[in-house]
Amino acid sequence: MTAPMMNPPTADLRARRRLNHRKLRISLLVIDHGDDVDKLLAAAAGQPFDIHVCADAAEALLHVGRLCPDVVLLGPCGGRLDPIEFLTIVRADDPQQPIVVGADSGRSEFTSRASDAGASAVVPRPYRVRELLALINSLAPVPNQVDLRPMVLDLGRLRVDGAVPQMWLDGHQIELPHMEFLLLRFFAERPGELVTRQELLDAVWGRGVTVRSNTLNVHMMRLRKRLCYDEQDPQWIKVIRGVGYQFKVPPKAPAVGQEFAQ
């Protein structure tokens, strides 16, 4: 099968352009389609990425030559060229081009073929956007690596801001004191996991920092009240005796205490 050839500039020139073009944003070419791309674009809003999307691998070859992207994200795509053929052509032309391949679950053969064809990394689809953006940042040419903004954590009923100490509970915005915000972020990043008391202390106050025995208890009590009106039924944060805590988002919204909703 005859595939469209990549346009100039040459691989060496593209590499020099990527390394010499000192900027504060990362150019990402996404070759994929569907809900995964929509979620990626929504999650990356506000991040220092210039994202170009193309659903056709043959057409994407032309974009690689024209855009000289810092990183390529290659997922399932249609057209006259399949993803492995695209990867083989680009890798032969530019061995240094970072290419991340997205593989659906259960496709171990495809994952193996992508690795053999020269993928810089193979990641699972649906994409875990936060981990994916961090990986893309690490693969970008060193001058183009950027500081990623903390991302909003969206757990359905609960959304936690990435940087500003606030949350949205059932659509209602609630401001948080700094320490409670750090505790909530820690929990929201690990829904369903068991975390120890020491892990919380280390994450929020820092390793080796001496904290009074009841300090964590006080902050946990106040955070529970913000999340659940009936403190005798702490659905959100449960104490697992002898282990630590477990955070879950309950299916039914409890009432929020008015003194904390302001």
Side-chain angles (χ1 to χ4, degrees), residues 195-231:
V195 297
T196 68
R197 185 180 180 89
Q198 191 60 51
E199 285 175 330
L200 282 173
L201 292 171
D202 290 345
V204 175
W205 281 271
R207 292 181 181 274
V209 176
T210 301
V211 181
R212 293 174 57 183
S213 60
N214 69 332
T215 298
L216 177 59
N217 295 340
V218 171
H219 288 293
M220 291 289 288
M221 178 186 67
R222 293 186 62 83
L223 181 57
R224 279 199 185 98
K225 287 182 178 180
R226 295 180 193 280
L227 292 169
C228 179
Y229 178 75
D230 184 3
E231 58 187 78

mmCIF file of all heavy atoms in Angstrom, residues 195-231:
data_model
loop_
_atom_site.group_PDB
_atom_site.id
_atom_site.type_symbol
_atom_site.label_atom_id
_atom_site.label_comp_id
_atom_site.label_asym_id
_atom_site.label_seq_id
_atom_site.Cartn_x
_atom_site.Cartn_y
_atom_site.Cartn_z
ATOM 1 N N VAL A 195 -6.409 4.587 53.330
ATOM 2 C CA VAL A 195 -5.218 5.395 53.608
ATOM 3 C C VAL A 195 -5.004 5.443 55.116
ATOM 4 O O VAL A 195 -5.962 5.502 55.903
ATOM 5 C CB VAL A 195 -5.346 6.815 53.029
ATOM 6 C CG1 VAL A 195 -5.467 6.763 51.520
ATOM 7 C CG2 VAL A 195 -6.531 7.558 53.617
ATOM 8 N N THR A 196 -3.774 5.402 55.526
ATOM 9 C CA THR A 196 -3.462 5.410 56.948
ATOM 10 C C THR A 196 -3.415 6.823 57.483
ATOM 11 O O THR A 196 -3.282 7.797 56.732
ATOM 12 C CB THR A 196 -2.117 4.724 57.216
ATOM 13 O OG1 THR A 196 -1.063 5.529 56.659
ATOM 14 C CG2 THR A 196 -2.080 3.329 56.597
ATOM 15 N N ARG A 197 -3.489 6.920 58.771
ATOM 16 C CA ARG A 197 -3.391 8.219 59.438
ATOM 17 C C ARG A 197 -2.039 8.868 59.141
ATOM 18 O O ARG A 197 -1.960 10.064 58.879
ATOM 19 C CB ARG A 197 -3.579 8.022 60.947
ATOM 20 C CG ARG A 197 -3.618 9.295 61.753
ATOM 21 C CD ARG A 197 -3.798 8.979 63.226
ATOM 22 N NE ARG A 197 -3.842 10.194 64.015
ATOM 23 C CZ ARG A 197 -4.951 10.868 64.282
ATOM 24 N NH1 ARG A 197 -6.117 10.423 63.824
ATOM 25 N NH2 ARG A 197 -4.910 11.967 65.002
ATOM 26 N N GLN A 198 -0.980 8.057 59.138
ATOM 27 C CA GLN A 198 0.348 8.606 58.894
ATOM 28 C C GLN A 198 0.492 9.115 57.456
ATOM 29 O O GLN A 198 1.159 10.134 57.216
ATOM 30 C CB GLN A 198 1.431 7.543 59.179
ATOM 31 C CG GLN A 198 2.850 8.096 59.200
ATOM 32 C CD GLN A 198 3.026 9.164 60.275
ATOM 33 O OE1 GLN A 198 2.678 8.967 61.431
ATOM 34 N NE2 GLN A 198 3.553 10.327 59.879
ATOM 35 N N GLU A 199 -0.134 8.438 56.518
ATOM 36 C CA GLU A 199 -0.098 8.907 55.127
ATOM 37 C C GLU A 199 -0.748 10.276 55.005
ATOM 38 O O GLU A 199 -0.247 11.153 54.275
ATOM 39 C CB GLU A 199 -0.806 7.898 54.215
ATOM 40 C CG GLU A 199 -0.018 6.639 53.948
ATOM 41 C CD GLU A 199 -0.797 5.616 53.148
ATOM 42 O OE1 GLU A 199 -2.053 5.586 53.280
ATOM 43 O OE2 GLU A 199 -0.171 4.836 52.410
ATOM 44 N N LEU A 200 -1.861 10.483 55.710
ATOM 45 C CA LEU A 200 -2.517 11.789 55.693
ATOM 46 C C LEU A 200 -1.625 12.857 56.303
ATOM 47 O O LEU A 200 -1.472 13.956 55.750
ATOM 48 C CB LEU A 200 -3.843 11.716 56.454
ATOM 49 C CG LEU A 200 -5.033 11.087 55.732
ATOM 50 C CD1 LEU A 200 -6.200 10.945 56.685
ATOM 51 C CD2 LEU A 200 -5.430 11.932 54.531
ATOM 52 N N LEU A 201 -1.029 12.551 57.453
ATOM 53 C CA LEU A 201 -0.160 13.520 58.115
ATOM 54 C C LEU A 201 1.025 13.890 57.229
ATOM 55 O O LEU A 201 1.386 15.075 57.100
ATOM 56 C CB LEU A 201 0.325 12.962 59.456
ATOM 57 C CG LEU A 201 -0.747 12.792 60.542
ATOM 58 C CD1 LEU A 201 -0.174 12.029 61.732
ATOM 59 C CD2 LEU A 201 -1.294 14.144 60.987
ATOM 60 N N ASP A 202 1.641 12.886 56.604
ATOM 61 C CA ASP A 202 2.795 13.145 55.748
ATOM 62 C C ASP A 202 2.416 13.972 54.527
ATOM 63 O O ASP A 202 3.158 14.870 54.108
ATOM 64 C CB ASP A 202 3.432 11.828 55.287
ATOM 65 C CG ASP A 202 4.132 11.084 56.418
ATOM 66 O OD1 ASP A 202 4.376 11.715 57.471
ATOM 67 O OD2 ASP A 202 4.413 9.883 56.255
ATOM 68 N N ALA A 203 1.237 13.671 53.933
ATOM 69 C CA ALA A 203 0.826 14.356 52.712
ATOM 70 C C ALA A 203 0.430 15.801 52.963
ATOM 71 O O ALA A 203 0.716 16.688 52.150
ATOM 72 C CB ALA A 203 -0.339 13.601 52.064
ATOM 73 N N VAL A 204 -0.225 16.066 54.089
ATOM 74 C CA VAL A 204 -0.775 17.412 54.341
ATOM 75 C C VAL A 204 0.184 18.288 55.132
ATOM 76 O O VAL A 204 0.374 19.463 54.817
ATOM 77 C CB VAL A 204 -2.134 17.291 55.060
ATOM 78 C CG1 VAL A 204 -2.679 18.669 55.438
ATOM 79 C CG2 VAL A 204 -3.131 16.554 54.170
ATOM 80 N N TRP A 205 0.804 17.725 56.153
ATOM 81 C CA TRP A 205 1.696 18.532 56.991
ATOM 82 C C TRP A 205 3.175 18.346 56.657
ATOM 83 O O TRP A 205 3.987 19.162 57.023
ATOM 84 C CB TRP A 205 1.461 18.214 58.467
ATOM 85 C CG TRP A 205 0.247 18.882 59.012
ATOM 86 C CD1 TRP A 205 0.182 20.129 59.586
ATOM 87 C CD2 TRP A 205 -1.082 18.370 59.040
ATOM 88 N NE1 TRP A 205 -1.102 20.414 59.961
ATOM 89 C CE2 TRP A 205 -1.917 19.353 59.640
ATOM 90 C CE3 TRP A 205 -1.666 17.170 58.622
ATOM 91 C CZ2 TRP A 205 -3.270 19.176 59.827
ATOM 92 C CZ3 TRP A 205 -3.023 16.995 58.800
ATOM 93 C CH2 TRP A 205 -3.809 17.984 59.391
ATOM 94 N N GLY A 206 3.509 17.262 55.945
ATOM 95 C CA GLY A 206 4.884 17.014 55.547
ATOM 96 C C GLY A 206 5.542 15.941 56.397
ATOM 97 O O GLY A 206 5.241 15.785 57.579
ATOM 98 N N ARG A 207 6.445 15.205 55.773
ATOM 99 C CA ARG A 207 7.152 14.142 56.478
ATOM 100 C C ARG A 207 8.043 14.716 57.570
ATOM 101 O O ARG A 207 8.729 15.718 57.363
ATOM 102 C CB ARG A 207 8.015 13.335 55.492
ATOM 103 C CG ARG A 207 7.213 12.522 54.506
ATOM 104 C CD ARG A 207 8.140 11.738 53.583
ATOM 105 N NE ARG A 207 7.397 10.959 52.602
ATOM 106 C CZ ARG A 207 6.916 9.745 52.820
ATOM 107 N NH1 ARG A 207 7.139 9.162 53.995
ATOM 108 N NH2 ARG A 207 6.252 9.101 51.880
ATOM 109 N N GLY A 208 8.026 14.057 58.707
ATOM 110 C CA GLY A 208 8.901 14.469 59.794
ATOM 111 C C GLY A 208 8.382 15.626 60.617
ATOM 112 O O GLY A 208 9.028 16.024 61.591
ATOM 113 N N VAL A 209 7.227 16.185 60.230
ATOM 114 C CA VAL A 209 6.664 17.316 60.968
ATOM 115 C C VAL A 209 5.856 16.772 62.153
ATOM 116 O O VAL A 209 5.028 15.872 62.000
ATOM 117 C CB VAL A 209 5.764 18.179 60.067
ATOM 118 C CG1 VAL A 209 5.108 19.297 60.877
ATOM 119 C CG2 VAL A 209 6.572 18.751 58.917
ATOM 120 N N THR A 210 6.106 17.323 63.343
ATOM 121 C CA THR A 210 5.373 16.899 64.540
ATOM 122 C C THR A 210 4.023 17.606 64.585
ATOM 123 O O THR A 210 3.956 18.839 64.538
ATOM 124 C CB THR A 210 6.173 17.218 65.810
ATOM 125 O OG1 THR A 210 7.434 16.535 65.751
ATOM 126 C CG2 THR A 210 5.420 16.767 67.052
ATOM 127 N N VAL A 211 2.952 16.819 64.666
ATOM 128 C CA VAL A 211 1.589 17.357 64.690
ATOM 129 C C VAL A 211 0.904 16.867 65.949
ATOM 130 O O VAL A 211 1.006 15.683 66.306
ATOM 131 C CB VAL A 211 0.800 16.899 63.438
ATOM 132 C CG1 VAL A 211 -0.615 17.485 63.458
ATOM 133 C CG2 VAL A 211 1.525 17.307 62.168
ATOM 134 N N ARG A 212 0.218 17.749 66.657
ATOM 135 C CA ARG A 212 -0.501 17.365 67.875
ATOM 136 C C ARG A 212 -1.506 16.271 67.557
ATOM 137 O O ARG A 212 -2.116 16.234 66.487
ATOM 138 C CB ARG A 212 -1.208 18.575 68.471
ATOM 139 C CG ARG A 212 -0.245 19.624 69.007
ATOM 140 C CD ARG A 212 -0.977 20.873 69.453
ATOM 141 N NE ARG A 212 -1.991 20.575 70.470
ATOM 142 C CZ ARG A 212 -2.809 21.488 70.984
ATOM 143 N NH1 ARG A 212 -2.739 22.756 70.559
ATOM 144 N NH2 ARG A 212 -3.690 21.151 71.909
ATOM 145 N N SER A 213 -1.705 15.361 68.471
ATOM 146 C CA SER A 213 -2.489 14.148 68.228
ATOM 147 C C SER A 213 -3.924 14.436 67.794
ATOM 148 O O SER A 213 -4.516 13.664 67.034
ATOM 149 C CB SER A 213 -2.492 13.270 69.485
ATOM 150 O OG SER A 213 -3.062 13.970 70.578
ATOM 151 N N ASN A 214 -4.515 15.547 68.284
ATOM 152 C CA ASN A 214 -5.921 15.793 67.953
ATOM 153 C C ASN A 214 -6.080 16.733 66.759
ATOM 154 O O ASN A 214 -7.206 17.020 66.350
ATOM 155 C CB ASN A 214 -6.652 16.373 69.166
ATOM 156 C CG ASN A 214 -6.191 17.784 69.501
ATOM 157 O OD1 ASN A 214 -5.041 18.135 69.220
ATOM 158 N ND2 ASN A 214 -7.060 18.578 70.100
ATOM 159 N N THR A 215 -4.975 17.239 66.189
ATOM 160 C CA THR A 215 -5.082 18.205 65.089
ATOM 161 C C THR A 215 -5.780 17.594 63.882
ATOM 162 O O THR A 215 -6.699 18.191 63.303
ATOM 163 C CB THR A 215 -3.688 18.712 64.690
ATOM 164 O OG1 THR A 215 -3.089 19.376 65.794
ATOM 165 C CG2 THR A 215 -3.781 19.682 63.525
ATOM 166 N N LEU A 216 -5.350 16.398 63.472
ATOM 167 C CA LEU A 216 -5.988 15.734 62.335
ATOM 168 C C LEU A 216 -7.451 15.451 62.638
ATOM 169 O O LEU A 216 -8.316 15.639 61.776
ATOM 170 C CB LEU A 216 -5.245 14.439 61.989
ATOM 171 C CG LEU A 216 -5.851 13.603 60.859
ATOM 172 C CD1 LEU A 216 -5.914 14.401 59.567
ATOM 173 C CD2 LEU A 216 -5.039 12.320 60.656
ATOM 174 N N ASN A 217 -7.757 15.035 63.845
ATOM 175 C CA ASN A 217 -9.137 14.724 64.209
ATOM 176 C C ASN A 217 -10.050 15.938 64.042
ATOM 177 O O ASN A 217 -11.175 15.829 63.548
ATOM 178 C CB ASN A 217 -9.214 14.224 65.654
ATOM 179 C CG ASN A 217 -8.489 12.910 65.846
ATOM 180 O OD1 ASN A 217 -8.238 12.189 64.891
ATOM 181 N ND2 ASN A 217 -8.141 12.593 67.089
ATOM 182 N N VAL A 218 -9.548 17.099 64.446
ATOM 183 C CA VAL A 218 -10.351 18.327 64.346
ATOM 184 C C VAL A 218 -10.643 18.654 62.887
ATOM 185 O O VAL A 218 -11.791 18.961 62.505
ATOM 186 C CB VAL A 218 -9.631 19.500 65.039
ATOM 187 C CG1 VAL A 218 -10.355 20.815 64.740
ATOM 188 C CG2 VAL A 218 -9.564 19.264 66.542
ATOM 189 N N HIS A 219 -9.609 18.618 62.048
ATOM 190 C CA HIS A 219 -9.805 18.939 60.630
ATOM 191 C C HIS A 219 -10.708 17.912 59.949
ATOM 192 O O HIS A 219 -11.537 18.271 59.106
ATOM 193 C CB HIS A 219 -8.457 19.023 59.915
ATOM 194 C CG HIS A 219 -7.665 20.240 60.266
ATOM 195 N ND1 HIS A 219 -8.060 21.514 59.906
ATOM 196 C CD2 HIS A 219 -6.499 20.387 60.942
ATOM 197 C CE1 HIS A 219 -7.173 22.394 60.338
ATOM 198 N NE2 HIS A 219 -6.210 21.729 60.976
ATOM 199 N N MET A 220 -10.566 16.648 60.329
ATOM 200 C CA MET A 220 -11.416 15.615 59.744
ATOM 201 C C MET A 220 -12.872 15.821 60.142
ATOM 202 O O MET A 220 -13.790 15.658 59.323
ATOM 203 C CB MET A 220 -10.931 14.238 60.191
ATOM 204 C CG MET A 220 -9.591 13.821 59.605
ATOM 205 S SD MET A 220 -9.693 13.447 57.854
ATOM 206 C CE MET A 220 -10.581 11.914 57.915
ATOM 207 N N MET A 221 -13.113 16.200 61.389
ATOM 208 C CA MET A 221 -14.469 16.433 61.845
ATOM 209 C C MET A 221 -15.126 17.563 61.056
ATOM 210 O O MET A 221 -16.279 17.443 60.609
ATOM 211 C CB MET A 221 -14.466 16.765 63.345
ATOM 212 C CG MET A 221 -15.847 17.070 63.910
ATOM 213 S SD MET A 221 -15.771 17.616 65.632
ATOM 214 C CE MET A 221 -14.918 19.192 65.442
ATOM 215 N N ARG A 222 -14.397 18.639 60.851
ATOM 216 C CA ARG A 222 -14.956 19.777 60.122
ATOM 217 C C ARG A 222 -15.179 19.437 58.650
ATOM 218 O O ARG A 222 -16.185 19.849 58.057
ATOM 219 C CB ARG A 222 -14.048 20.994 60.274
ATOM 220 C CG ARG A 222 -14.003 21.539 61.696
ATOM 221 C CD ARG A 222 -13.205 22.835 61.770
ATOM 222 N NE ARG A 222 -13.806 23.885 60.952
ATOM 223 C CZ ARG A 222 -14.808 24.659 61.347
ATOM 224 N NH1 ARG A 222 -15.352 24.488 62.554
ATOM 225 N NH2 ARG A 222 -15.279 25.596 60.557
ATOM 226 N N LEU A 223 -14.258 18.680 58.067
ATOM 227 C CA LEU A 223 -14.428 18.296 56.671
ATOM 228 C C LEU A 223 -15.644 17.391 56.506
ATOM 229 O O LEU A 223 -16.415 17.529 55.551
ATOM 230 C CB LEU A 223 -13.166 17.597 56.158
ATOM 231 C CG LEU A 223 -13.178 17.155 54.694
ATOM 232 C CD1 LEU A 223 -13.440 18.330 53.770
ATOM 233 C CD2 LEU A 223 -11.861 16.474 54.328
ATOM 234 N N ARG A 224 -15.847 16.481 57.446
ATOM 235 C CA ARG A 224 -17.029 15.620 57.390
ATOM 236 C C ARG A 224 -18.313 16.446 57.423
ATOM 237 O O ARG A 224 -19.282 16.159 56.724
ATOM 238 C CB ARG A 224 -17.030 14.645 58.575
ATOM 239 C CG ARG A 224 -16.150 13.419 58.389
ATOM 240 C CD ARG A 224 -16.584 12.338 59.362
ATOM 241 N NE ARG A 224 -15.702 11.178 59.308
ATOM 242 C CZ ARG A 224 -14.722 10.971 60.167
ATOM 243 N NH1 ARG A 224 -14.478 11.850 61.132
ATOM 244 N NH2 ARG A 224 -13.969 9.902 60.070
ATOM 245 N N LYS A 225 -18.341 17.473 58.274
ATOM 246 C CA LYS A 225 -19.538 18.306 58.378
ATOM 247 C C LYS A 225 -19.815 19.025 57.073
ATOM 248 O O LYS A 225 -20.969 19.241 56.694
ATOM 249 C CB LYS A 225 -19.377 19.311 59.516
ATOM 250 C CG LYS A 225 -19.475 18.688 60.898
ATOM 251 C CD LYS A 225 -19.359 19.743 61.980
ATOM 252 C CE LYS A 225 -19.502 19.130 63.367
ATOM 253 N NZ LYS A 225 -19.390 20.142 64.440
ATOM 254 N N ARG A 226 -18.763 19.410 56.362
ATOM 255 C CA ARG A 226 -18.976 20.086 55.081
ATOM 256 C C ARG A 226 -19.540 19.124 54.034
ATOM 257 O O ARG A 226 -20.263 19.521 53.124
ATOM 258 C CB ARG A 226 -17.655 20.688 54.579
ATOM 259 C CG ARG A 226 -17.117 21.789 55.471
ATOM 260 C CD ARG A 226 -15.811 22.351 54.933
ATOM 261 N NE ARG A 226 -15.158 23.168 55.939
ATOM 262 C CZ ARG A 226 -15.471 24.433 56.221
ATOM 263 N NH1 ARG A 226 -16.448 25.023 55.556
ATOM 264 N NH2 ARG A 226 -14.835 25.104 57.155
ATOM 265 N N LEU A 227 -19.208 17.861 54.181
ATOM 266 C CA LEU A 227 -19.639 16.876 53.199
ATOM 267 C C LEU A 227 -20.959 16.199 53.569
ATOM 268 O O LEU A 227 -21.690 15.749 52.691
ATOM 269 C CB LEU A 227 -18.557 15.797 53.033
ATOM 270 C CG LEU A 227 -17.250 16.245 52.378
ATOM 271 C CD1 LEU A 227 -16.185 15.174 52.518
ATOM 272 C CD2 LEU A 227 -17.476 16.575 50.908
ATOM 273 N N CYS A 228 -21.255 16.109 54.859
ATOM 274 C CA CYS A 228 -22.427 15.339 55.278
ATOM 275 C C CYS A 228 -23.058 15.989 56.490
ATOM 276 O O CYS A 228 -22.412 16.152 57.531
ATOM 277 C CB CYS A 228 -22.031 13.891 55.596
ATOM 278 S SG CYS A 228 -23.395 12.856 56.160
ATOM 279 N N TYR A 229 -24.325 16.356 56.415
ATOM 280 C CA TYR A 229 -24.999 17.064 57.501
ATOM 281 C C TYR A 229 -25.089 16.199 58.757
ATOM 282 O O TYR A 229 -24.900 16.665 59.870
ATOM 283 C CB TYR A 229 -26.398 17.481 57.035
ATOM 284 C CG TYR A 229 -27.206 18.183 58.102
ATOM 285 C CD1 TYR A 229 -26.921 19.499 58.452
ATOM 286 C CD2 TYR A 229 -28.250 17.528 58.750
ATOM 287 C CE1 TYR A 229 -27.661 20.140 59.424
ATOM 288 C CE2 TYR A 229 -28.991 18.172 59.731
ATOM 289 C CZ TYR A 229 -28.687 19.486 60.063
ATOM 290 O OH TYR A 229 -29.407 20.118 61.023
ATOM 291 N N ASP A 230 -25.413 14.913 58.584
ATOM 292 C CA ASP A 230 -25.546 14.010 59.722
ATOM 293 C C ASP A 230 -24.186 13.425 60.066
ATOM 294 O O ASP A 230 -23.746 12.443 59.470
ATOM 295 C CB ASP A 230 -26.540 12.886 59.392
ATOM 296 C CG ASP A 230 -26.778 11.967 60.587
ATOM 297 O OD1 ASP A 230 -26.212 12.238 61.669
ATOM 298 O OD2 ASP A 230 -27.524 10.992 60.421
ATOM 299 N N GLU A 231 -23.510 14.014 61.048
ATOM 300 C CA GLU A 231 -22.168 13.557 61.374
ATOM 301 C C GLU A 231 -22.173 12.185 62.057
ATOM 302 O O GLU A 231 -21.126 11.571 62.233
ATOM 303 C CB GLU A 231 -21.446 14.572 62.251
ATOM 304 C CG GLU A 231 -22.145 14.897 63.557
ATOM 305 C CD GLU A 231 -21.444 16.033 64.287
ATOM 306 O OE1 GLU A 231 -21.646 17.198 63.881
ATOM 307 O OE2 GLU A 231 -20.695 15.734 65.227
#
